[in-house]
């Protein structure tokens, strides 16, 4: 993938392959933007396809790099905190799949809507949550994005509907949100994400039908990381062409390890939706480095070699990094500097997440119903009344 | 009927090589979850927040069923399934990841021993798993379906309540899916949060036509599971997941059954009747000891074992004797199965009651994330209820 032809559009001082000393370079030394040839998407029921030659600016590249690196570091920190038993419960990490979240987000607006399942940390971040809020949610602290009440699987922010625990259950919700977008006529759309495992749930197919029937501005995204929990796609799905499984819904199969591929495909899909053509399906072929959840070591159903190979050959961060470096869009030192900043942000957030107080006990009963005045909730036995507000 | 299992070869087709079961390297999600759960790892006992809320007390070694072997709860479930696959050629086991042993290791080695056409993975589709199981059962085969967590059973709720439970009734006894048994890990586990801790037995207790069974330990698990499999009604078998590793007993190796709908009196007493099932039985054991020690109150402890249809007689007889009843479960108090027991006992034993019937249960909240220690009906809460009843 790295051998993609890249055409330098505007050349400052060209020093291909030379590791120059940073202090000797100025901003103008870098290439401001370059065009890249990306992998062609497979299409289903589409006359056109996303472009295979795309342009990325230096700013975009640096931003994608920083976001992906933040996600990666955040997940690795979560892994560490989980092993220290500071994070408890179920925790599903996103490392390896960063290009999906960043690519999608780069091609839609923050005013568009997004809903995903329980592997939600990355999207919470791209949707506007801070690392601090996410980490504090993981540790169940007051400063968490869901007030410490949800934990890993349940994170929410504006136009981001979570953070849903049951496999596949979020997809119909996404279609509902898309209906609202259509009804309001505000040219917004809803991205509904699910995994290759969830793709076999019945309600996904119910949703395809509704979305196509009513021509909803919905992008269904199947993040195919090759394993539904411990079962590989080949053993779980009669057809692993997830982009075709919407049948009457047009689909794209996208290299989910390449942020530019994902961005271009999402841009194409968003235009499709916004032009009133109805829903579209994208299969992002990606990979998770960690197991399904923290209690899955992730090597009993796949080999260490397989994981190493993906890491070595198609890691989304390395891919972007190499592209930027080989096109003189950034220097090694500059990226290292970003790494240092990211690391610091993560460390600060982890510090906050381990020192912030836990929510007050009253929070246990709050937010069960909408109620005003406060409602009494039975606790332990029918006579213990606790106050519930929302 | 032996051929019934042949239909499933396709579903079990494995295109990728997978590492063998029982190789030692094989671990799993659930297994590690349990390793992290407090009762199984003495190192975590120092962490107050995660201290176990009960102490497991093994049953005496059963002598009537032949040779025994040391097993924990998941091994006793495996043993029951092993016996079934060996003796019943139509028996098939399916569910998410069961071919590699399941997330809680309950089906370890069975695929290798009995073949991939009899022990096979399904896609992630709970509604499909149960619906499929009903079809397998109605065709005459013995279907044992696993839902990975009891919390995930809700997508299959319609299949269980509308299809499985009513099949016999609505066909005038022409068709039934009595050969179907659904297993699901159940209950709190120390840090399972909202979607890995629920106890949904009361939802199914409202549904005539199915049986709901919950064991308290390995010996009961095997006997009751074999009864469920043999029973000619669709059964839901909930396994307390916190006990999978924590509960270790001497379990008979051969097949044996423990009758359904029969509660077991674990300890006789004269002042208060305690009714519980699953993990909560062990909490209640401690409560009974505390009541004896601190209050001089003699408790009669009953493990209900079958939630539907439940053993009204044993419970009522006990309440007639003691005059007091405390029921405790992890599920929320409102509409929990304790409500049904309380109501039935009140009707039957009104004049024998010395105090209002007590329920000590989970709060009327979703199962909380970090507040689990507060939510759990622990021994102190139950002990308080006993004090209140005695002083009434």
């Amino acid at each position: 993938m790295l051998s993609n032809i890249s055409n330098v559009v505007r050349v400052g001082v060209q020093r291909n392959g030379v590791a120059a000393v940073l202090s000797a370079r100025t901003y103008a030394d870098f290439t401001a933007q370059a065009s890249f040839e990306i992998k062609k998407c497979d299409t289903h029921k589409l006359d056109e396809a996303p472009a295979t030659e795309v342009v990325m600016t230096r700013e975009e590249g640096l931003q994608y790099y920083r976001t992906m690196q933040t996600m990666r570091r955040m997940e690795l920190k979560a892994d560490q905190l989980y092993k220290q038993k500071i994070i408890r419960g179920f925790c599903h990490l996103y490392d390896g799949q960063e290009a999906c979240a960043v690519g999608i987000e780069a091609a839609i607006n923050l005013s568009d809507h997004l809903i995903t399942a329980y592997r939600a940390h990355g999207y919470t971040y791209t949707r506007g949550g801070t690392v601090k809020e996410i980490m504090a949610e993981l540790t169940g602290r007051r400063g968490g994005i869901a007030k410490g009440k949800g934990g890993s699987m349940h994170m929410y922010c504006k136009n981001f509907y979570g953070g849903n625990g049951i496999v596949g259950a979020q997809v119909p919700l996404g279609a509902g949100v898309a209906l609202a977008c259509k009804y309001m006529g505000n040219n917004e759309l809803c991205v509904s994400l699910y995994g290759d495992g969830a793709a076999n749930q019945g309600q996904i197919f119910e949703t395809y039908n509704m979305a196509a029937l009513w021509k909803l501005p919905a992008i269904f995204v199947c993040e195919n990381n090759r394993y539904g929990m411990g079962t590989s796609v080949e053993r779980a799905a009669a057809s692993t062409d997830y982009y075709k499984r919407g049948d009457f819904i047009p689909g794209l199969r996208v290299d989910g390890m390449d942020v530019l591929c994902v961005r271009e495909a999402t841009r194409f899909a968003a235009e499709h939706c916004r032009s009133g053509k109805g829903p579209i399906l994208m299969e992002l072929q990606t990979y998770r480095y960690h197991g399904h959840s923290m209690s899955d070591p992730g090597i009993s159903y796949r080999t260490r070699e397989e994981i190493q190979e993906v890491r070595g050959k198609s890691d989304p961060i390395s891919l972007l990094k190499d592209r930027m470096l080989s096109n003189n869009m950034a220097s090694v030192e500059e990226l290292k500097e970003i790494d240092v900043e990211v690391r610091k942000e993560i460390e600060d957030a982890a510090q906050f997440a381990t020192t912030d107080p836990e929510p007050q006990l009253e929070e246990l009963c709050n937010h069960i119903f909408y109620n005003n005045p406060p409602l009494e909730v039975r606790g332990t036995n029918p006579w213990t009344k606790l106050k519930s507000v929302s | 009927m032996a051929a019934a299992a042949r239909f499933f070869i396709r579903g079990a087709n494995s295109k990728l090589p997978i590492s063998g079961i029982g190789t030692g390297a094989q671990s799993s999600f659930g297994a590690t979850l349990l390793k992290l759960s407090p009762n199984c790892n003495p190192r975590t006992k120092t962490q107050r927040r995660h201290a176990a809320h009960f102490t497991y007390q093994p049953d005496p070694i059963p002598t009537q069923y032949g040779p025994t072997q040391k097993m924990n709860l998941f091994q006793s479930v495996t043993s029951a399934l092993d016996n079934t696959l060996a003796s019943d050629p139509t028996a098939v086991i399916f569910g998410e990841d069961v071919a590699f042993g399941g997330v809680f290791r309950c089906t370890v080695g069975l695929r290798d021993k009995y073949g991939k056409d009899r022990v096979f993975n399904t896609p992630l589709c709970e509604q499909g798993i149960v619906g499929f199981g009903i079809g397998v059962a109605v065709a005459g085969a013995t279907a044992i379906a696993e839902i990975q967590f009891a919390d995930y059973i809700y997508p299959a709720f319609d299949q269980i309540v509308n299809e499985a439970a009513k099949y016999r009734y609505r066909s005038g006894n022409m068709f039934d899916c009595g050969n179907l048994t659904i297993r699901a890990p159940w209950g709190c586990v120390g840090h399972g949060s909202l979607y890995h801790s629920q106890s949904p037995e009361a939802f199914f207790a409202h549904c005539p036509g199915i049986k709901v069974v919950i064991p308290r330990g390995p010996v009961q698990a095997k006997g009751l599971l074999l009864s469920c499999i043999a029973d000619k009604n669709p059964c839901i078998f909930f396994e307390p997941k916190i006990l999978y590793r924590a509960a270790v007993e001497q379990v008979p190796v051969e097949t044996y059954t423990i009758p359904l709908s029969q509660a077991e009196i674990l300890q006789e007493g004269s002042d208060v009747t305690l009714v519980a099932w699953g993990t909560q039985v062990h909490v209640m054991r401690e409560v009974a000891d505390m009541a004896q020690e601190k209050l001089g109150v003699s408790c009669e402890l009953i493990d209900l074992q079958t939630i539907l249809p439940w053993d009204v007689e044993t419970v009522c007889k006990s309440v007639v004797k003691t005059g007091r009843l405390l029921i405790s479960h992890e599920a929320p108090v409102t509409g929990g199965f304790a409500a049904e027991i309380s109501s039935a006992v009140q009707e039957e034993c009104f004049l024998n009651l010395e105090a209002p019937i007590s329920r000590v249960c989970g709060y009327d909240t979703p199962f909380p994330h970090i507040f689990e220690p507060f939510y759990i009906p622990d021994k102190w809460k139950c002990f308080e209820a006993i004090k209140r009843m005695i002083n009434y």
Side-chain angles (χ1 to χ4, degrees), chain A residues 283-300:
Chain A
E283 172 190 350
L284 307 183
Q285 292 189 307
T286 181
Y287 200 78
R288 64 167 148 76
Y289 293 158
H290 266 90
H292 166 73
S293 72
M294 289 309 299
S295 33
D296 165 24
I299 41 154
S300 50

Side-chain angles (χ1 to χ4, degrees), chain A residues 262-335:
Chain A
V262 177
R263 185 184 73 172
E264 197 50 38
T266 309
R267 188 174 285 158
F268 178 90
E271 270 165 28
H272 178 95
C273 278
R274 292 195 216 276
S275 66
K277 290 181 195 159
I280 185 164
L281 212 161
M282 293 200 300
E283 172 190 350
L284 307 183
Q285 292 189 307
T286 181
Y287 200 78
R288 64 167 148 76
Y289 293 158
H290 266 90
H292 166 73
S293 72
M294 289 309 299
S295 33
D296 165 24
I299 41 154
S300 50
Y301 47 85
R302 55 183 191 180
T303 58
R304 284 178 202 277
E305 291 73 41
E306 180 185 305
I307 306 169
Q308 280 316 320
E309 195 183 322
V310 177
R311 269 186 193 279
K313 288 191 183 153
S314 44
D315 180 74
I317 298 180
S318 310
L319 184 62
L320 178 70
K321 189 176 171 180
D322 291 349
R323 267 194 185 140
M324 292 191 71
L325 292 178
S326 59
N327 284 287
N328 192 37
M329 296 177 84
S331 68
V332 177
E333 293 76 11
E334 192 178 16
L335 297 182

Side-chain angles (χ1 to χ4, degrees), chain B residues 76-336:
Chain B
S76 85
V77 168
T78 315
S79 170
L81 297 173
D82 192 351
N83 293 152
T84 305
L85 288 166
S87 64
D88 178 355
T90 75
V92 284
I93 295 174
F94 48 89
E96 293 161 14
D97 289 341
V98 298
F100 335 119
V103 296
F104 288 108
R105 320 311 291 142
C106 292
T107 50
V108 167
L110 298 178
R111 193 259 325 256
D112 290 351
K113 193 165 171 186
Y114 296 100
K116 59 187 183 184
D117 53 344
R118 297 188 66 193
V119 180
F120 53 90
N121 284 346
T122 62
L124 308 188
C125 51
E126 290 77 13
Q127 185 175 16
I129 292 170
V130 173
F132 174 81
I134 296 171
V136 171
V138 76
T142 300
I144 304 166
E146 178 179 301
I147 298 293
Q148 198 161 59
F149 282 87
D151 311 62
Y152 305 166
I153 208 166
Y154 303 117
F157 198 72
D158 173 64
Q159 287 290 348
I160 295 169
V161 172
N162 279 328
E163 307 304 326
K166 299 177 178 52
Y167 217 156
R168 188 186 295 276
Y169 188 84
R170 68 172 194 252
S171 68
N173 209 21
M174 198 187 296
F175 284 96
D176 69 83
C177 57
N179 290 333
L180 171 66
T181 303
I182 301 162
R183 297 177 37 248
W186 164 98
C188 79
V189 68
H191 57 126
S193 195
L194 287 88
Y195 290 94
H196 296 90
S197 309
Q198 297 172 61
S199 307
E201 67 273 15
F203 286 110
F204 298 102
H206 199 58
C207 177
I210 49 172
K211 294 192 175 182
V212 182
V213 179
I214 305 170
R216 68 166 183 278
V219 174
Q220 274 65 35
K222 181 167 176 183
L224 289 168
L225 178 54
L226 286 168
S227 291
C228 284
I229 293 168
D231 194 88
K232 291 290 141 208
N233 297 286
C235 294
I236 301 179
F237 190 74
F238 286 127
E239 299 160 6
K241 58 174 122 30
I242 198 168
L243 299 181
Y244 273 135
R245 275 163 196 263
V248 181
E249 286 172 352
Q250 286 291 331
V251 180
V253 180
E254 294 304 318
T255 298
Y256 63 98
T257 54
I258 294 174
L260 302 182
S261 294
Q262 223 172 77
E264 186 180 341
I265 301 173
L266 296 180
Q267 180 183 320
E268 299 212 356
S270 54
D271 302 327
V272 182
T273 301
L274 308 178
V275 173
W277 48 90
T279 320
Q280 202 61 14
V281 169
H282 305 289
V283 175
M284 288 299 225
R285 276 195 208 257
E286 272 186 86
V287 172
D289 292 346
M290 282 163 70
Q292 185 68 56
E293 213 172 278
K294 298 188 177 172
L295 307 171
V297 168
S298 155
C299 295
E300 179 146 309
L301 174 56
I302 298 177
D303 176 5
L304 198 61
Q305 299 192 135
T306 305
I307 307 301
L308 189 73
W310 65 289
D311 185 354
V312 187
E313 199 185 332
T314 301
V315 176
C316 286
K317 271 190 182 157
S318 172
V319 177
V320 165
K321 184 170 72 173
T322 61
R324 296 178 190 89
L325 174 62
L326 168 64
I327 315 148
S328 181
H329 57 62
E330 285 172 21
V333 62
T334 300

Side-chain angles (χ1 to χ4, degrees), chain A residues 62-79:
Chain A
L62 289 175
Q63 189 204 326
Y64 302 158
Y65 180 80
R66 181 185 292 269
T67 312
M68 289 206 278
Q69 199 63 283
T70 307
M71 278 184 199
R72 174 74 54 90
R73 291 287 149 205
M74 182 167 74
E75 297 299 58
L76 295 180
K77 192 72 199 174
D79 178 57

Side-chain angles (χ1 to χ4, degrees), chain A residues 242-253:
Chain A
Y242 292 100
Y243 69 113
K244 289 183 180 170
R245 289 179 66 173
D247 185 12
F248 36 77
I249 297 179
L252 293 169
R253 174 143 67 194

